[in-house]
Amino acid sequence: MAAAGKIAVVTESIACLSEEEASRWGITVIPIPFEYAGKEYLDGVDITPEEFNKMLRPDLPPAVTSAPSPGTYMEEFCRLASEGCQVLCVSPTPAVTRMYEAAEQGRRLAQEERGITSRIEVVDCGTATMAQGFVALEAARLARGDATMEEILRRVRLLSSRVGLLVTLDTLEYLAKTSRIPRIGALFGKALQIKPIIYFGQGTVDHLDRPRSRRRAISRMLDLMEVRLNHDGPLHVAVQHANAREEAESLRGEVARRFSPETLRIAEFSPVMSSYTGPGLLGLAFYEDPEGHRA
């Protein structure tokens, strides 16, 4: 389905949008390929978060993931252009993945090798998961309202400077076995009993704290979100989890009581993220809108 207003919004499955939500807003979601337990999957296509969490075991080798190929992006860009659309792709920060780079290569291939003349823009949203999803949803909302590409890009860049994601891991057992350990896990050395808190936003990945209890980690995560609020517009929050629904519901209640956000939802992390972190991952994706839009 092409996005209304002839501007099509594209994002990756790591943005954690539900199939219903993506369909409703006309967002094209590119699935992330991964391999686990000897079988290949497309994130969100062949397997749901619930199904993956049932398979996930610490004694199995870690999942092997990769960014979608430039050719995958090219094909989607060309398909949308053939429907008369300009294309805006909202990708996660290059600090954690090569998806932005692959999307940029796909854009060049579409324009230089396929001769696509429609405008194609690829934007680094500076973060990932539902924080990225918030940006894609705003782009789609504006596209449906017949905004121009310049108007959408301005809003996307504004929100990309505002959205953030805080996560806390319940275990480092999974992360320690993956190739990601030099980039994130090494921050914690051999202290595998801690419950680290990590921030993804504005193109950075920052280790903020290393509490030793789950309760303390959740409390600190709320405090760290509050520190990042400017109180200059409606607050939008997504509580995210990997096989931790009960804790996510409790955290949603605490967010509602403490911050009274304009919108508040629960969203599951995609299998790609939970494959690195294991079960029990909790997160807060959030942003304040200084222009007062009430999504």
Side-chain angles (χ1 to χ4, degrees):
M1 175 183 175
K6 294 298 182 181
I7 296 176
V9 177
V10 177
T11 196
E12 296 87 358
S13 59
I14 198 175
C16 301
L17 299 177
S18 70
E19 183 178 355
E20 183 276 332
E21 194 165 40
S23 177
R24 173 156 47 96
W25 287 102
I27 299 172
T28 295
V29 177
I30 294 180
I32 300 168
F34 69 97
E35 181 180 334
Y36 188 69
K39 192 172 180 180
E40 295 181 352
Y41 300 93
L42 287 175
D43 186 23
V45 175
D46 303 318
I47 191 167
T48 66
E50 296 91 340
E51 291 168 339
F52 182 74
N53 286 326
K54 290 178 181 177
M55 297 169 50
L56 195 59
R57 287 167 37 190
D59 58 310
L60 291 176
V64 178
T65 66
S66 60
S69 70
T72 299
Y73 288 97
M74 177 192 70
E75 292 297 339
E76 289 297 333
F77 295 164
C78 289
R79 178 184 66 81
L80 293 166
S82 73
E83 297 176 5
C85 295
Q86 300 178 68
V87 179
L88 174 60
C89 180
V90 178
S91 283
T93 174
V96 296
T97 173
R98 296 183 62 186
M99 291 176 208
Y100 174 80
E101 178 183 336
E104 266 293 314
Q105 291 175 355
R107 177 190 63 79
R108 290 194 296 271
L109 289 171
Q111 294 176 329
E112 295 171 8
E113 295 192 9
R114 293 288 186 89
I116 297 299
T117 58
S118 296
R119 185 171 179 181
I120 303 172
E121 297 282 351
V122 179
V123 176
D124 163 18
C125 73
T127 184
T129 75
M130 194 59 221
Q132 173 186 349
F134 278 138
V135 178
L137 284 169
E138 177 64 3
R141 184 188 71 80
L142 291 170
R144 181 155 293 180
D146 294 328
T148 66
M149 180 66 85
E150 282 71 24
E151 289 170 333
I152 298 174
L153 283 171
R154 186 194 67 79
R155 277 286 291 167
V156 162
R157 287 165 180 155
L158 172 65
L159 294 192
S160 295
S161 72
R162 310 276 299 194
V163 291
L165 170 70
L166 286 161
V167 300
T168 183
L169 284 70
D170 191 40
T171 175
L172 287 173
E173 186 175 6
Y174 290 80
L175 187 62
K177 295 179 181 179
T178 75
S179 61
R180 303 289 176 173
I181 190 74
R183 303 178 65 181
I184 297 176
L187 292 170
F188 316 119
K190 297 181 179 179
L192 295 181
Q193 299 307 310
I194 63 171
K195 313 295 181 184
I197 299 174
I198 304 167
Y199 178 73
F200 302 80
Q202 296 75 56
T204 65
V205 179
D206 296 320
H207 166 226
L208 300 183
D209 204 351
R210 51 173 73 194
R212 292 187 174 274
S213 75
R214 180 73 156 179
R215 183 176 179 180
R216 178 60 178 162
I218 294 171
S219 176
R220 281 290 293 144
M221 193 163 59
L222 288 163
D223 291 343
L224 289 165
M225 186 177 90
E226 184 167 19
V227 167
R228 282 162 172 74
L229 299 182
N230 298 313
H231 306 287
D232 59 355
L235 173 64
H236 305 277
V237 182
V239 176
Q240 294 202 250
H241 74 95
N243 202 27
R245 168 66 67 172
E246 188 173 328
E247 286 182 301
E249 292 284 2
S250 176
L251 181 54
R252 177 170 64 174
E254 184 61 31
V255 170
R257 287 189 295 272
R258 184 164 172 175
F259 301 104
S260 301
E262 179 71 20
T263 63
L264 177 59
R265 64 168 71 191
I266 288 181
E268 287 191 272
F269 285 109
S270 73
V272 166
M273 191 161 185
S274 57
S275 68
Y276 290 127
T277 65
L281 182 68
L282 279 176
L284 293 170
F286 61 95
Y287 74 98
E288 292 171 297
D289 190 342
E291 297 182 339
H293 291 241
R294 300 183 180 273

